[in-house]
Amino acid sequence: MSGLREGWDSQSRVVKALMLRELTTRFGRENIGFLWMMVEPLLFAVLVGIMWTYLKGPDEHGVGIIAFVASGYIPLTFLRHSFTRCVSVFLVNGSLLYHRQVKVTDFILVRVLIEFIGGTMAWLFIAFALGILGYIPVPAYPGMMVAGWLLYGLVILSVCFVIAPLSEVSEVIEKILPVSTYIAIPVSGVFTMASWAPPGVREYLLMSPMVNAMEMIRYGLFGDYIKPYYNIWNPILVSVIFMTIGLVLCRRVRRDLVVE
């Protein structure tokens, strides 16, 4: 048990150190630094929400349009940034592998974790600011909302474990990833709900783990104003599959990495 605790403490220190290094490299030590991660989702959520309000009115299927857009755009930003940041992550940080405590999987975990924390902070900030103005309701079921967000983060992390090693093997991944991210929007559940789709389409939508997680997030936020469709085991099972594949790929790529 003591050996397990020592290993956990050592790995925790490595992750913290890598997070500080990543934040300093990306944002510097001046101005508001890490808080910049909240600016993009805040601006886009508000601007897109205003545009949708102008085009569709203040409500969509009985829920506030700005709250709906904000609750979807933050996960979309988290998805897009996490996928992009994991491309060539081994090559950029390869020199750190000189330290035997540092593993290639730490690089992926740190980058996704930073985006996850940034997305969480952005959501809290937006919910507080727009909640005061009456555009976002108090979550009806906070526990359900948090569970959905954690599952969404788990799915993104597992996919990044596959993207990162594949991007080291082939440059094609880096080229097609931006386009693939936008193509994936319809099956990400960020701008639609399963209850709005015809039954035949809904069946296929619910095969997506991200749709299931988003349904939980929206149900936690809007409560009984919406009819959610989700299966909690879908994102868990898909995450385990992708994580397993990703760990195997990471191990193979690690053998070919040259530590300088």
Side-chain angles (χ1 to χ4, degrees):
M1 184 64 69
S2 60
L4 183 62
R5 169 176 276 184
E6 290 178 3
W8 173 263
D9 291 340
S10 175
Q11 204 61 31
S12 298
R13 289 194 296 270
V14 169
V15 171
K16 290 177 182 177
L18 290 175
M19 286 185 68
L20 290 174
R21 177 181 180 273
E22 180 72 20
L23 290 172
T24 303
T25 302
R26 194 186 307 183
F27 301 107
R29 299 179 182 274
E30 300 179 356
N31 299 320
I32 63 174
F34 178 69
L35 297 180
W36 278 114
M37 294 190 68
M38 297 190 299
V39 174
E40 182 188 356
L42 172 62
L43 289 177
F44 276 88
V46 172
L47 292 177
V48 174
I50 291 174
M51 182 182 69
W52 278 32
T53 300
Y54 177 76
L55 295 175
K56 300 185 177 183
D59 298 305
E60 179 79 4
H61 294 272
V63 297
I65 197 70
I66 292 181
F68 181 80
V69 171
S71 63
Y73 192 83
I74 293 175
L76 176 62
T77 304
F78 167 53
L79 178 152
R80 189 174 70 245
H81 287 182
S82 297
F83 288 176
T84 304
R85 294 288 180 185
C86 285
V87 172
S88 302
V89 65
F90 299 159
L91 181 63
V92 174
N93 296 283
S95 59
L96 296 176
L97 294 173
Y98 176 80
H99 306 281
R100 62 188 182 90
Q101 294 91 345
V102 179
K103 311 298 182 184
V104 291
T105 52
D106 293 332
F107 304 144
I108 306 172
L109 176 62
V110 164
R111 293 205 168 183
V112 176
L113 187 58
I114 288 175
E115 298 299 335
F116 183 82
I117 294 174
T120 303
M121 292 177 61
W123 171 248
L124 292 175
F125 180 73
I126 291 174
F128 177 77
L130 297 183
I132 293 177
L133 300 175
Y135 290 115
I136 293 183
V138 176
Y141 305 112
M144 177 65 72
M145 189 174 180
V146 171
W149 180 234
L150 290 175
L151 282 178
Y152 197 93
L154 179 63
V155 172
I156 299 303
L157 177 63
S158 66
V159 176
C160 286
F161 264 82
V162 175
I163 292 176
L166 286 181
S167 68
E168 301 291 339
V169 176
S170 173
E171 295 181 356
V172 176
I173 299 298
E174 183 177 1
K175 304 299 182 183
I176 68 173
L177 187 61
V179 178
S180 302
T181 302
Y182 284 102
I183 293 177
I185 290 179
V187 295
S188 65
V190 294
F191 291 139
T192 187
M193 292 199 64
S195 60
W196 300 355
V201 177
R202 183 187 308 141
E203 181 181 351
Y204 290 102
L205 281 177
L206 292 176
M207 292 181 181
S208 167
M210 292 178 288
V211 170
N212 286 271
M214 282 302 307
E215 290 285 304
M216 295 174 64
I217 293 173
R218 294 256 170 69
Y219 182 51
L221 177 61
F222 297 113
D224 296 329
Y225 285 100
I226 64 171
K227 181 175 178 57
Y229 291 87
Y230 63 88
N231 180 356
I232 191 173
W233 295 108
N234 176 283
I236 293 176
L237 179 60
V238 172
S239 297
V240 170
I241 294 173
F242 271 91
M243 193 74 72
T244 303
I245 296 173
L247 289 173
V248 173
L249 292 174
C250 286
R251 185 173 182 177
R252 291 188 176 182
V253 170
R254 175 64 182 90
R255 291 200 298 259
D256 298 328
L257 286 176
V258 178
V259 180
E260 298 179 357

